[in-house]
Every structure is written in structure tokens, then in C-alpha cells.
Amino acid sequence: MSTDPGQTTPDPEDEHLRAETARRLERAMGELGTAAVARMEERLSWFRAMSAEDRSWVGLVAQSAVAAFVDWFKDPNRGRPAITVEVYGTAPRELTRSVSLQQTVEMVRLVVDTAEARVGELAAPGGEQQLREAMLRYTREVAFSTAKVYARAAEARGAWDARLEALVVDALLHGDGEEGLATWGTALSWSHSPVIVVAGYRPEAQPETTLMDEVRRLARRQGHDVLAGMQGERLIVVLGVNAKVQGAEDPLRVAGTLAGAYAPGPIVVGPPVPDLHSAASSARVAVSGLRAAVAWPDAPRPVLAQDLLPERALAGEDSAGQELVREVYLPLRSAGSPLLETLTVYLEHASSLEATARMLFVHPNTVRYRLGRIADLTGYAPTDGRGSFALRVAVALGRLSGQETTG
């Protein structure tokens, strides 16, 4: 009868020693697990600081590690031990959030040290080396399996975070789920304020996962909290601004760090709001500004949604039109007829000081003075092309609205 040259015949003496050591290990199994937990309590400050529930789960993992080792030691021909299931299968997935990979390695090392310190009494006489070698191999397998557990947890966490981010962004845009925003923000470790929303278009050729990773990398490199989501062809990013970053007080500068992630074209920044719960208003304004930005081809990139008020109003955004009337037209009406009349004549006569002065029978310096007051009062300079456009739209909307003088 031929013997397979790749198959080794077990040494009867080794098998005898292994069987005797296995019996001793079985008898000491509960004691070893308890001793390992006691040693963790004594040496690991992070373990002592954990909640009672999490400590009990860690203790169960330690007990399972001992039991799995004993079970595997009985029959080394089983091949590679199924550490993942046998050791970690009883613990909840949330434990990987309470215990870091480094802490798990410390825990495993203490469990092994506890058993190694008692090799003399646990091993059958003459089987000490056999037991130590088995412990060494088992420890290596635990290390590999632990890394896999945490890698899978990180992957699942990343996928969950991405889904939750998309849900939050969708809720912000549609004004739904405002009560849950604080809870969602906590789940995503949201901690910074103020909050701004940045809207632009996604690059067509770039896969969504790659794009989202790039956005998060750019934002987190500056220390900002970030949520990102796709809305059709639009890329919406919500930023919790890290106030310690240089330039954090300037929304355009903050948004500019993300410009490389967007497709060519407009990037619109919503107004800063104090927290995530209030971000729906910033999101709606940013998206409205993005729709209207086509009317201002030479707009800066990025541009504030506030700077797109005239375009947003012309595009049908009622709140933008109301703001222009409230912040521009009504103050001019309240200031008295000379300012509004001067502005109207100035705009109708191609922004000519001389022509306006002749129509009003005043000196050009008087016209110049009134235009300066208009700029101070409204924030828009009639002598500037962009300012004159905004003022023209505001005056037209004010007259259409039928607003009366409030002063």
C-alpha cells in the first residue's frame, strides 16, 4: 500500500501530549477567561472606562477566544482556525466602534499572555513547547482575523455613511426630516459651524464613488465636516466650517477649496447658517442660484447665491424678488423721491451724469451725490454695470408689487 508523500503521519507521542494538554485546557477554560478579563480590568484604562454593557461584550470576546483556541488545539488538522466566526461572531458590530483596532490587539495580547504565563501547569509534562507553538500560531491567526473584522466594519461604515449623507442632502433640499437632522448629524460625527451649502455640476466621466471620495478628501483636509450628495447632474456639498482654518470666515474661500471636484461651470454658495438643522434654507438658495447662474455667464467661480439675487428673481424665485424689493426698492422709496427719481432717470439715460442732470435741472455733482447715497443705502452702485442691473430689476419688481412708502 503506497503512502502519499505529501501526507505526514502523526507522531503518537505528540498526539498523546496534545490530548492530555487539551483536557487540561478544557478544565481551565473558564478560569482562563475570567483571569484574562481581570487582567484587562487591571491594566487597560480604556477597558475600565467603558460602559458595563461594552465591558461584558469584550469579556465575552475574551472567553470566546480562549474557547476557540481550546477547540482548535484538540484537532490541528482542521487547518486554519475560523477565528472570525468563533471569536467575534457573538459580539455586536457596534463593538468595533467602541473598541479600536489597537485596543483589540492589546486585549488579544493580554489574553495570550495570561495563558502563556500558565503554560507550565496547562501543558502535559513534555508538551510545553507544543502548546507555546500552538499559541503563537493562534495569535497570528487572531491578528489577521481582527484586521479583517475591522476592515469589513470600516467598509460597511463607509457605505452606510454614504447612504446617510445622500439621505440628509435630499432631506435638506426638500425640507423633509428636519427633526431628524440633529440625530443624523451626530451619527456622522458632525461638530462644526457655521454651515454652508455649495451647489455645482458633477463631472460626467467621473464615477460617483470616486467623486464623493474626492469631495470628502478635499473638505476633511481643511478640517471641515462634510456631507455630499448627487441630485441628478448636480453635486451638492454641505460643509460644517472649521472656524480654526485660515479664511474660514469667507464662504467663497472655503468653497473654493472644493472647486476642483466640480465640472466646469457655475458653483454657487448658499448663505451661512448656524447649524445643520438650519441648512435647508441655505441648500434651497444655493440650488436656486445654480439654476439662475446661466443668466450671468461671467459670474465668479464660486459665487455667492446672494450675488445672484437679480437672476434668481427673474427665474421666478419669489423670495429673491421679495428680498430685492425689501432691501432695495423700499429703502429708496422711504428715503424720498429725489433718490428714486434720480436713479430712474440715470438708468433710462444710459448712465450719463450730464443727461440725468439736464433732465432733473440739477448740477451733475448733485446727481453724483445722490448716486453715492443710493449705493450706501442699497449696497448696489448705480455706476457699476452689475449694480445698475440689480437696481433696475429691484425697481421694476417694486413697482410691480405695488409696495407703498413705509416711512
Side-chain angles (χ1 to χ4, degrees):
M1 180 177 180
S2 62
T3 304
D4 185 350
Q7 184 178 8
T8 55
T9 304
D11 187 331
E13 180 63 23
D14 284 347
E15 290 300 302
H16 173 74
L17 290 174
R18 182 178 296 277
E20 178 58 28
T21 299
R23 283 192 290 272
R24 293 184 177 210
L25 287 170
E26 283 183 321
R27 288 195 296 267
M29 194 164 55
E31 184 183 346
L32 280 174
T34 302
V37 173
R39 201 163 183 177
M40 283 189 282
E41 183 79 34
E42 175 187 349
R43 296 194 178 185
L44 303 179
S45 58
W46 59 264
F47 179 73
R48 294 193 297 271
M50 294 178 75
S51 67
E53 181 181 8
D54 282 346
R55 279 202 310 273
S56 68
W57 280 115
V58 171
L60 182 58
V61 170
Q63 296 275 5
S64 298
V66 173
F69 170 70
V70 174
D71 188 51
W72 171 77
F73 183 80
K74 291 179 189 177
D75 184 12
N77 293 323
R78 289 170 54 196
R80 192 170 188 174
I83 307 296
T84 301
V85 175
E86 295 177 355
V87 176
Y88 296 104
T90 53
R93 291 182 179 179
E94 288 79 4
L95 191 60
T96 59
R97 301 185 188 182
S98 302
V99 184
S100 69
L101 178 57
Q102 181 179 353
Q103 289 169 341
T104 305
V105 171
E106 291 178 355
M107 177 188 73
V108 170
R109 184 182 295 120
L110 272 182
V111 172
V112 173
D113 287 349
T114 302
E116 265 193 323
R118 301 179 58 180
V119 165
E121 62 182 273
L122 292 173
E128 293 85 359
Q129 184 61 29
Q130 183 187 61
L131 181 57
R132 286 193 181 93
E133 289 176 357
M135 284 182 175
L136 180 63
R137 180 182 172 192
Y138 189 77
T139 303
R140 182 185 63 190
E141 297 297 341
V142 168
F144 281 125
S145 295
T146 300
K148 287 182 180 179
V149 167
Y150 277 82
R152 282 197 297 271
E155 183 179 357
R157 171 71 175 176
W160 165 248
D161 282 356
R163 289 193 295 271
L164 184 54
E165 283 187 33
L167 178 65
V168 173
V169 171
D170 187 70
L172 289 175
L173 290 175
H174 294 92
D176 301 328
E178 291 189 0
E179 295 301 321
L181 287 175
T183 302
W184 295 340
T186 300
L188 292 165
S189 302
W190 191 273
S191 61
H192 292 119
S193 63
V195 175
I196 61 172
V197 178
V198 185
Y201 294 102
R202 59 173 294 182
E204 293 182 2
Q206 192 168 10
E208 181 174 339
T209 302
T210 304
L211 177 58
M212 295 294 102
D213 289 343
E214 174 68 6
V215 168
R216 296 185 190 103
R217 183 186 66 80
L218 291 171
R220 288 169 181 163
R221 188 168 62 184
Q222 299 294 319
H224 305 310
D225 292 329
V226 58
L227 302 175
M230 307 297 302
Q231 293 288 322
E233 62 181 359
R234 298 192 295 259
L235 168 61
I236 312 298
V237 179
V238 185
L239 291 175
V241 180
N242 180 1
K244 296 180 181 179
V245 175
Q246 185 177 8
E249 71 284 353
D250 182 1
L252 288 179
R253 185 168 178 177
V254 173
T257 61
L258 304 179
Y262 287 90
I267 299 175
V268 181
V269 185
V273 292
D275 50 42
L276 187 61
H277 189 272
S278 312
S281 59
S282 182
R284 285 192 292 268
V285 169
V287 171
S288 174
L290 184 63
R291 285 195 295 264
V294 65
W296 187 12
D298 296 326
R301 187 178 189 267
V303 61
L304 295 175
Q306 185 69 18
D307 292 340
L308 287 161
L309 269 178
E311 287 80 8
R312 288 162 50 201
L314 291 174
E317 184 186 335
D318 290 340
S319 61
Q322 292 166 5
E323 185 173 350
L324 277 175
V325 172
R326 184 175 61 252
E327 300 298 328
V328 177
Y329 181 73
L330 290 182
L332 289 175
R333 288 287 303 268
S334 299
S337 60
L339 291 187
L340 188 56
E341 182 184 16
T342 299
L343 175 62
T344 302
V345 174
Y346 180 77
L347 294 176
E348 290 177 352
H349 286 79
S351 301
S352 168
L353 281 172
E354 290 74 15
T356 303
R358 284 195 301 270
M359 289 296 298
L360 296 175
F361 302 102
V362 297
H363 194 277
N365 284 343
T366 301
V367 174
R368 188 176 289 108
Y369 169 75
R370 291 176 181 176
L371 296 179
R373 283 198 60 199
I374 291 170
D376 293 339
L377 193 63
T378 66
Y380 294 106
T383 55
D384 171 73
R386 181 72 190 162
S388 65
F389 170 68
L391 288 165
R392 187 183 293 274
V393 173
V395 170
L397 289 173
R399 287 170 174 161
L400 287 171
S401 70
Q403 294 280 358
E404 297 296 330
T405 303
T406 58

